[in-house]
Amino acid sequence: MISYEYPLNERIRTLLRLEDLYRKLGHFHRSDAPQDHHVALITLFEVLEVAGRADLKVDLMQELERQRQILMSFRNNPEISEEALSGALYEIEQASASLLAMAGKIGQYLRENEWLMAIRSRAAIPGGVCEFDLPSYHFWLNRDPAARRGDLEAWIQPMLPIRDGLTIVLRLLRASGHPEPQLASNGSYQLTMSGRSAQMLRLRLASSEAAIPEISANKYALSIRFMRPETIARPRTVERDVAFELTFCSL
């Protein structure tokens, strides 16, 4: 199955973007290749850009506290595993404490590093980080892989509380809904929301289904068009019925 997620507000959109960036960051920084470490550094700059747009830390702490209070209400419920509940509460409390310990503006320590900011500025120019543009960066890319990785980990580590907090929030959000089988007649599906509230839609298709969902939604209606996965010609609507799963997620 292939999953597609569609955020219905800006806050969830930001969390999903950051989740994707942190996933790439974790992948590329573990490599030994200088090209992968370059991608990891550029990705870290993207994390800095996205995380710095809003008061993300406060939003995450407030949501974690809200979820903690909800979980606390399940104490002494015979249908809830006390061990699982305690583990979830501990995880939330640890993430909240780490976020609280983050002093100042997110990523300020990176902004104060002139060497990194010079790379960030040049990276915005196509081909702008060539060795003749940034010889000190060229030297760094030719250092021992373990030394480069050590630098990357030192730059990444202070940003990990954001990753840990959003991971918990998104996991709870995804677990909040129940998938329902649906059918798009002749490639199209419409639904009136009728007061149904959601923060994110999750759509799952069989991997063998050659169709890509184009989703449009607001508080009144949901519309999904399934398109053929063309890579050369203009995409066209699938002219057949498409079975899929749809989940409304909300915290």
Side-chain angles (χ1 to χ4, degrees), residues 179-241:
E180 300 175 2
Q182 305 290 349
L183 185 69
S185 178
N186 210 29
S188 296
Y189 177 86
Q190 284 83 36
L191 177 69
T192 301
M193 297 298 277
S194 301
R196 188 200 297 252
S197 63
Q199 293 170 293
M200 184 176 75
L201 302 175
R202 299 193 78 203
L203 188 153
R204 298 211 317 158
L205 278 172
S207 302
S208 58
E209 185 68 74
I212 301 169
E214 285 193 353
I215 303 171
S216 175
N218 55 40
K219 62 182 179 180
Y220 302 111
L222 165 66
S223 175
I224 303 173
R225 263 197 326 165
F226 287 93
M227 311 298 291
R228 297 174 59 180
E230 307 285 2
T231 57
I232 299 176
R234 174 184 288 184
R236 292 176 292 169
T237 303
V238 170
E239 296 177 350
R240 66 176 184 279
D241 292 351

Side-chain angles (χ1 to χ4, degrees), residues 7-136:
L8 296 175
N9 61 50
E10 191 59 34
R11 185 167 69 103
I12 301 303
R13 185 175 290 110
T14 296
L15 295 186
L16 290 173
R17 284 176 174 158
L18 282 170
E19 179 187 52
D20 181 64
L21 290 172
Y22 274 112
R23 188 181 295 121
K24 291 173 182 174
L25 188 58
H27 171 79
F28 286 110
H29 104 272
R30 287 192 293 267
S31 170
D32 284 343
Q35 295 86 354
D36 287 345
H37 285 174
H38 169 73
V39 174
L41 192 55
I42 299 305
T43 304
L44 180 59
F45 295 151
E46 293 183 23
V47 169
L48 179 64
E49 179 71 23
V50 176
R53 290 178 183 172
D55 203 350
L56 181 65
K57 184 176 76 170
V58 173
D59 284 347
L60 284 173
M61 291 179 64
Q62 289 176 344
E63 186 57 48
L64 289 172
E65 175 59 22
R66 194 170 75 86
Q67 295 302 318
R68 189 184 76 84
Q69 294 293 339
I70 292 172
L71 291 177
M72 287 290 289
S73 69
F74 294 132
R75 287 284 194 193
N76 302 318
N77 186 325
E79 297 182 2
I80 303 295
S81 165
E82 281 293 320
E83 183 179 357
L85 184 59
S86 296
L89 286 168
Y90 177 77
E91 186 180 22
I92 288 175
E93 288 162 3
Q94 289 294 105
S96 296
S98 296
L99 285 166
L100 185 61
M102 293 180 72
K105 189 175 181 180
I106 293 174
Q108 187 59 34
Y109 68 99
L110 295 173
R111 295 184 181 90
E112 292 172 354
N113 187 318
E114 293 183 7
W115 185 77
L116 287 176
M117 290 303 98
I119 298 169
R120 182 188 184 191
S121 177
R122 294 296 309 178
I125 302 169
V129 293
C130 286
E131 59 187 83
F132 54 82
D133 289 308
L134 291 171
S136 65

